[in-house]
Amino acid sequence: MADSSSTYQAGGSGDQPKKSIIPDIPIEEEGAHSQGVIRERGHSEAENEATVDRDHDEPSQKTVGAPASSMSTMSPTSSSLMPIAPELMGHLMNSMTPPGVNIAGSNNVVNISCHVQSTGSVQLATSSSQLDPVPSPGPVPTPDHVPPPNQESDVPDTMSTFIQELKETGKALYDKIQPIPYIKDELDSVDKVFIEVGLERRVGKDSWKKLGSYHDIFPKEKGNPRIQIIEGDPGYGKSTLALQMVYDWCNEVSGSPFSGPDILICLNLRQLKGITSIAQAIKQCSLPFDSKLKLLDVEQLISKSNIWVIFDAYDEYPDQHNKVNFVMQMLKGKIGQHVNILLTTRSSCIPPALGARTGRIRLTGFDNAAQERYIRKVVTGDDEVVKKVLKHLNINPTLGVLCRAPLFSVMYAHLTHKGSMLHEISSVTGFFGHMISCFLSHTQNKLSGADESPENLQTHADTHAALDKLAFEALTSKMQQLVWDRTFFVGELGEVFYKLYVDVGILVEEKETHIPAPGKVPQHKTVVRFYHKLFGEWYAAYHLIECVKSRSYILPENINLYDLKFLFMFACGLDQPGGSQVIKLLGERKDGAESVVLCAPQLKEWSHDIQTTVRRIVSSGIDIYISDSRLLQQSTIQLLELASQHKIPISQVMLLESFSSVDPDSLPLVLRSGLCLPPLSTLKELVIWTEPGREVTVDEWTGILNYTNQCQLLKKLKLDLCLLPWMDSFPTSLGSVEVRWVTAIDGHEYTLQSGRWQNWRSGGILTRGAYDDLNEDSGEILTRGAYDDLVTKFRERCSDTPWQERRRAERE
């Protein structure tokens, strides 16, 4: 490490150093030379030694405590620089001064030259010989080691104070849950509204296992990951789940694992722009403004505690593109290795390059039972009302899919209970637009007696071009902006417009405290954000429609299409001509196929250009994965239906572990999500790739064959990695459909020829005896030898698959 030299001048009481506060060591990328920055140790020993020798020959002089502008002259060739804050310099002076001199009461000027060596030690040279001896403070702290101070904290019982203040701040977070934006006089504690969402843990590359409760997020077995990524689509309850964990800890909820750690802290990453360490984040965001705990106290307390940290909303983290931000350093285990971490994020924004020992949890939303529990717990206990609200979720497929997301489900339940006609909505855009109208209408009625007339308020509600532009530019920039300074926002929108949207609840004000540097005076300001990022996407969609009116407009390459999928869906639903142009632009992108699938069903009519775009997409085949969200699966099914209606040929549909069964009455294929894929008149090939180890029943196999009869253009049917039951005869209506079966044993592949299974490669006939060697229980009589043979061939290979595990459990 290169050394640097500094000069400190102490003269008179005005320059008396304060008590030692070792600053949090921030980390910054190469090339940064701002005050209080240390570079990561990354150079070789030879480079460090060469740099030390060079700097010993030509030491650079600096004045500690100088303005940032003077600090910016720091040599860019230095491989590692240690910041020496005035407080730390004062502490070092007292420890290194010769006997007989008392700096605190001296008017003498003492010049101290400070060199930070590659070993981390500090050498000081003083020009005075009248200093009182003080015990050495020990080594200068590094990012990995912060030694305890030699003097006690100003706070007598720091740990007790720390926990008490964290709980006070935590209570302020979980005690102001607002299910509906405009209902601000009915704030609830999170435990009053929290309903468990579906959770799954990733157990393999593409396999997920259902969890019984959020209590199971951190496995009890030793050796399990201390870092858990909790992912989910927008509105799936990630932040609410985080607040419930905070509630459990603050109230020491019995039976909850989140009441166990010494310390549990929830940090909203949206608020951590420019913050360079976990201790600084806690001090600035999780402690009261008037807390007497210093940064050094926080560093010490978290270094010796069983601490769990929840990083909420990584997808909104302003510094996520900074490769050396402290959050990523913790996730990679470079710092804070003793901290258990939960990080919530959208599924489209998973942190890159995580270790193999990082756990993955995904939220799957509300099922029908969870929706009913929420209505009874929060909205009403009236059985008739509950049945009425739930009825439309079952008969309206669009509502059913949307309300899997707790955010939409909650909005729907409350607004329907108040008389809204949301159940008549048939699209995502229609749902959200009606919801916004309800918010504005309710607020206008409430404010009708105020100074502003209803007509004037309506004008402000309908004229929001400035807000649209702000939202679009913020969301589509390389580094998304989700929080604005209130003064700036009011200046852009106008006071009356701004106040209306705050009253409605679409915009939310927050108090923000910024501590610029250790020892500096904290700064306070009011910032504003959207109630939820989805509301920002709604208004940004209006501006996108204006943009695409210019035929020369091109979507910025940096846009994450999946992250902003609702923006594009809203745009397509808001304006037919503009939506057609949006789909055309999406179709021209290499990564735009999925966005077209989501957006095309939002249009009421398909122009020639839209049909051309859809034709190009379905000509290369459509996959429906088990891991796809219900919204994506529903949009895919709608696109396929519309393509068939427009006589557009569909080359292939592949169900990748998403097939569940066949409805015996109406013949659609039922997916494991509960959605149904109806027969498609223009489908040419159907591939069903079952989950490993699955055995298809006679009824299921018959249903699949009957389904193919309803697809007039179908030429190929293929089933992969499953066991089919033996059938002595097959429907003669199969006609020219080529049926192939790939078994789960050694990849044997057979084709159905003239009612018999034939080896596809060798042309050999699959006899009943050969079939018995493969199949265990087809509903026919099997010899014990054939059964034993199957046990060794099939179950040994598939014994650890979830499907076989479920079957064994059912048998037991």
Side-chain angles (χ1 to χ4, degrees):
M1 178 190 292
D3 61 11
S4 62
S5 51
S6 304
T7 301
Y8 177 86
Q9 291 189 336
S13 59
D15 292 321
Q16 181 178 346
K18 299 177 181 179
K19 293 182 180 180
S20 172
I21 301 178
I22 301 179
D24 234 15
I25 305 299
I27 300 175
E28 193 162 292
E29 295 184 78
E30 288 294 332
H33 310 298
S34 59
Q35 185 175 2
V37 171
I38 180 170
R39 302 181 191 278
E40 287 190 291
R41 303 172 186 266
H43 295 272
S44 65
E45 293 182 5
E47 289 175 321
N48 285 336
E49 291 173 0
T51 307
V52 170
D53 291 339
R54 181 175 64 251
D55 288 351
H56 272 303
D57 293 337
E58 300 178 7
S60 60
Q61 298 292 325
K62 283 189 181 62
T63 302
V64 176
S69 58
S70 65
M71 295 296 289
S72 65
T73 60
M74 196 176 294
S75 172
T77 60
S78 301
S79 63
S80 187
L81 303 174
M82 179 70 68
I84 307 296
E87 296 88 353
L88 178 58
M89 179 59 71
H91 190 57
L92 292 171
M93 287 172 56
N94 286 335
S95 66
M96 302 298 291
T97 50
V101 175
N102 188 334
I103 290 182
S106 172
N107 290 324
N108 296 333
V109 175
V110 182
N111 292 323
I112 301 180
S113 179
C114 172
H115 291 270
V116 182
Q117 304 296 339
S118 60
T119 59
S121 62
V122 177
Q123 293 184 349
L124 297 175
T126 66
S127 61
S128 174
S129 59
Q130 299 180 355
L131 303 177
D132 293 328
V134 178
S136 172
V140 171
T142 70
D144 299 314
H145 171 64
V146 179
N150 292 319
Q151 58 190 39
E152 295 183 357
S153 169
D154 291 341
V155 183
D157 188 351
T158 54
M159 178 58 80
S160 175
T161 301
F162 188 43
I163 291 175
Q164 180 182 349
E165 291 184 350
L166 286 175
K167 289 187 175 182
E168 290 175 1
T169 306
K171 187 175 188 300
L173 290 175
Y174 69 68
D175 245 0
K176 58 178 183 180
I177 301 298
Q178 192 176 344
I180 302 295
Y182 63 77
I183 304 178
K184 300 181 180 181
D185 54 350
E186 298 180 14
L187 300 182
D188 289 306
S189 174
V190 68
D191 66 303
K192 302 298 183 185
V193 301
F194 178 74
I195 298 293
E196 290 236 29
V197 296
L199 292 168
E200 294 179 343
R201 182 193 310 283
R202 192 169 75 169
V203 294
K205 184 178 180 181
D206 298 310
S207 299
W208 297 80
K209 183 178 181 180
K210 186 176 181 179
L211 297 182
S213 167
Y214 73 99
H215 290 175
D216 302 326
I217 288 177
F218 274 115
K220 298 178 182 179
E221 298 81 6
K222 292 184 178 180
N224 282 295
R226 66 175 181 85
I227 300 174
Q228 298 286 347
I229 307 297
I230 302 178
E231 62 184 89
D233 277 349
Y236 265 59
K238 301 179 290 294
S239 295
T240 303
L241 176 60
L243 290 178
Q244 180 63 36
M245 296 171 182
V246 174
Y247 175 88
D248 289 358
W249 181 73
C250 291
N251 294 277
E252 301 178 13
V253 174
S254 176
S256 172
F258 297 97
S259 63
D262 299 334
I263 297 169
L264 186 142
I265 297 166
C266 182
L267 294 167
N268 192 310
L269 290 174
R270 182 182 63 245
Q271 301 172 342
L272 302 191
K273 182 178 181 179
I275 291 181
T276 53
S277 75
I278 181 65
Q280 184 187 0
I282 295 170
K283 171 65 177 170
Q284 183 162 317
C285 301
S286 295
L287 296 181
F289 165 64
D290 57 353
S291 173
K292 294 183 179 180
L293 292 171
K294 297 181 173 64
L295 192 60
L296 180 57
D297 296 326
V298 176
E299 288 172 339
Q300 289 183 293
L301 291 167
I302 64 176
S303 68
K304 60 185 180 182
S305 304
N306 173 21
I307 177 172
W308 290 16
V309 174
I310 303 169
F311 290 125
D312 187 30
Y314 179 81
D315 52 289
E316 300 181 10
Y317 182 32
D319 293 343
Q320 62 179 270
H321 299 292
N322 178 356
K323 296 181 181 179
V324 290
N325 65 74
F326 83 93
V327 175
M328 185 55 66
Q329 298 294 305
M330 293 184 69
L331 291 174
K332 291 184 176 180
K334 295 184 178 181
I335 56 176
Q337 294 89 344
H338 68 292
V339 179
N340 283 339
I341 298 174
L342 292 110
L343 182 140
T344 73
T345 185
R346 286 190 178 191
S347 301
S348 58
C349 190
I350 305 297
L354 297 177
R357 290 181 56 78
T358 300
R360 291 275 292 276
I361 305 291
R362 72 178 181 189
L363 279 62
T364 58
F366 275 179
D367 58 14
N368 291 340
Q371 290 166 345
E372 181 175 349
R373 287 197 300 273
Y374 179 85
I375 296 171
R376 291 187 180 280
K377 181 177 181 178
V378 183
V379 182
T380 178
D382 188 311
D383 288 342
E384 291 302 317
V385 176
V386 171
K387 290 178 181 179
K388 180 181 176 181
V389 173
L390 291 174
K391 174 183 175 182
H392 299 292
L393 295 179
N394 296 324
I395 62 177
N396 186 329
T398 300
L399 271 181
V401 170
L402 276 177
C403 290
R404 291 282 290 196
L407 174 69
F408 291 128
S409 185
V410 167
M411 300 284 187
Y412 167 78
H414 284 275
L415 293 177
T416 301
H417 180 52
K418 293 179 180 294
S420 172
M421 302 300 289
L422 275 171
H423 61 272
E424 298 179 355
I425 301 304
S426 59
S427 70
V428 174
T429 308
F431 181 96
F432 212 87
H434 188 82
M435 185 176 68
I436 294 286
S437 297
C438 289
F439 295 169
L440 289 167
S441 175
H442 180 277
T443 304
Q444 288 167 3
N445 291 336
K446 185 174 66 174
L447 299 177
S448 59
D451 295 337
E452 289 286 332
S453 66
E455 293 77 13
N456 198 11
L457 289 172
Q458 186 64 45
T459 300
H460 288 298
D462 295 339
T463 308
H464 42 74
L467 180 62
D468 304 340
K469 186 173 186 290
L470 273 175
F472 182 81
E473 291 178 348
L475 290 172
T476 58
S477 62
K478 184 176 181 180
M479 298 182 66
Q480 290 185 353
Q481 181 178 359
L482 300 171
V483 178
W484 294 266
D485 181 82
R486 183 190 184 281
T487 303
F488 166 80
F489 222 69
V490 171
E492 293 292 314
L493 305 180
E495 185 69 44
V496 176
F497 180 96
Y498 175 82
K499 186 177 184 304
L500 172 63
Y501 274 69
V502 170
D503 287 337
V504 171
I506 292 173
L507 297 177
V508 178
E509 290 184 341
E510 292 179 341
K511 299 295 183 182
E512 187 176 273
T513 301
H514 177 61
I515 305 175
K520 299 290 185 179
V521 177
Q523 301 172 354
H524 309 281
K525 65 178 180 179
T526 301
V527 296
V528 61
R529 61 174 176 83
F530 284 103
Y531 173 82
H532 191 281
K533 189 176 176 181
L534 284 174
F535 287 80
E537 294 184 55
W538 171 260
Y539 287 99
Y542 282 94
H543 187 72
L544 176 59
I545 293 299
E546 293 300 313
C547 290
V548 298
K549 288 181 179 178
S550 169
R551 295 287 175 170
S552 61
Y553 179 78
I554 300 176
L555 290 173
E557 284 296 326
N558 63 280
I559 290 182
N560 183 329
L561 298 183
Y562 187 73
D563 179 52
L564 296 177
K565 59 179 178 285
F566 280 96
L567 189 161
F568 298 106
M569 293 171 71
F570 291 151
C572 291
L574 286 170
D575 184 83
Q576 179 76 27
S580 298
Q581 183 63 16
V582 168
I583 289 180
K584 183 176 181 294
L585 293 173
L586 293 171
E588 293 170 353
R589 299 253 308 219
K590 292 181 179 179
D591 58 345
E594 185 173 298
S595 296
V596 172
V597 170
L598 288 165
C599 292
Q602 300 297 312
L603 294 172
K604 295 180 180 179
E605 298 179 3
W606 280 12
S607 65
H608 176 74
D609 288 343
I610 296 300
Q611 293 186 44
T612 300
T613 300
V614 172
R615 187 183 302 272
R616 184 171 64 251
I617 289 174
V618 300
S619 65
S620 58
I622 296 292
D623 299 336
I624 302 180
Y625 291 85
I626 179 59
S627 57
D628 290 343
S629 68
R630 280 176 60 94
L631 177 62
L632 178 56
Q633 289 188 2
Q634 174 70 13
S635 298
T636 303
I637 292 170
Q638 289 177 328
L639 180 83
L640 292 171
E641 288 186 276
L642 290 169
S644 288
Q645 292 172 15
H646 286 84
K647 308 302 181 183
I648 299 174
I650 304 167
S651 64
Q652 181 192 78
V653 170
M654 181 178 288
L655 306 182
L656 293 160
E657 298 190 27
S658 55
F659 169 76
S660 174
S661 60
V662 182
D663 189 314
D665 297 323
S666 55
L667 292 182
L669 300 181
V670 181
L671 306 184
R672 291 168 66 184
S673 63
L675 299 174
C676 293
L677 177 66
L680 304 169
S681 60
T682 60
L683 176 62
K684 293 184 176 182
E685 180 179 0
L686 174 64
V687 178
I688 299 177
W689 191 315
T690 69
E691 63 269 44
R694 173 158 185 170
E695 301 172 42
V696 177
T697 68
V698 172
D699 288 342
E700 290 170 344
W701 183 214
T702 302
I704 292 172
L705 294 174
N706 289 334
Y707 175 88
T708 63
N709 290 334
Q710 307 300 313
C711 302
Q712 291 90 336
L713 297 185
L714 193 72
K715 298 298 181 183
K716 292 182 181 180
L717 170 65
K718 184 178 180 182
L719 291 98
D720 278 339
L721 304 180
C722 62
L723 283 176
L724 294 179
W726 181 267
M727 293 183 68
D728 292 320
S729 62
F730 292 87
T732 57
S733 57
L734 281 175
S736 60
V737 177
E738 179 184 345
V739 182
R740 289 186 183 180
W741 168 34
V742 180
T743 73
I745 301 174
D746 296 333
H748 289 144
E749 185 169 345
Y750 297 91
T751 183
L752 193 62
Q753 297 288 346
S754 302
R756 294 183 297 176
W757 286 114
Q758 182 176 348
N759 189 301
W760 181 64
R761 292 186 175 84
S762 67
I765 299 297
L766 178 63
T767 65
R768 179 55 189 261
Y771 175 82
D772 286 343
D773 286 340
L774 295 174
N775 193 9
E776 179 221 353
D777 184 3
S778 64
E780 303 283 345
I781 297 175
L782 294 175
T783 65
R784 181 57 184 266
Y787 176 82
D788 290 342
D789 188 54
L790 176 69
V791 170
T792 58
K793 287 185 177 181
F794 181 74
R795 290 198 173 177
E796 283 183 3
R797 293 189 178 115
C798 304
S799 62
D800 59 346
T801 62
W803 198 95
Q804 286 294 326
E805 288 177 353
R806 289 196 301 270
R807 182 174 183 180
R808 284 196 298 272
E810 290 172 359
R811 287 181 172 181
E812 293 173 357

